Amino acid sequence: SLFAKENLSRMSEHQLSLYDRLINEPSNDWDIYYWVTEAKPPPAEFEHEVMAMLREFAKNKNREQRLRQPDLEYLFE
């Protein structure tokens, strides 16, 4: 995702661990969407700094066009 492309390289090991759990443990991706867009509160174990980062990213305050996923450059190296 765009969030991953822009943030993973500068995240701490702790943040990466939180991110990994967040994207892999919930059984429904729609749950993550609702939590990030603040339509529903996340369970306590997912209310952390990475969730805050995702929420801020989702607000898109700079009104960037986010119409497509980033290219997977590593596939072309």
Side-chain angles (χ1 to χ4, degrees), residues 16-69:
L16 290 171
S17 176
L18 292 173
Y19 180 75
D20 183 65
R21 285 190 60 226
L22 176 63
I23 64 170
N24 289 306
E25 286 187 16
S27 60
N28 187 340
D29 287 345
W30 281 106
D31 288 336
I32 299 169
Y33 173 81
Y34 294 135
W35 303 335
V36 170
T37 59
E38 300 182 83
K40 294 181 180 179
E45 67 265 26
F46 296 121
E47 188 62 71
H48 47 59
E49 61 190 288
V50 175
M51 179 62 71
M53 292 169 66
L54 281 162
R55 284 183 180 138
E56 193 62 28
F57 183 82
K59 290 176 184 174
N60 195 13
K61 290 182 179 177
N62 294 331
R63 298 185 183 268
E64 300 169 322
Q65 285 193 349
R66 298 177 178 171
L67 302 175
R68 59 187 288 267
Q69 293 294 320

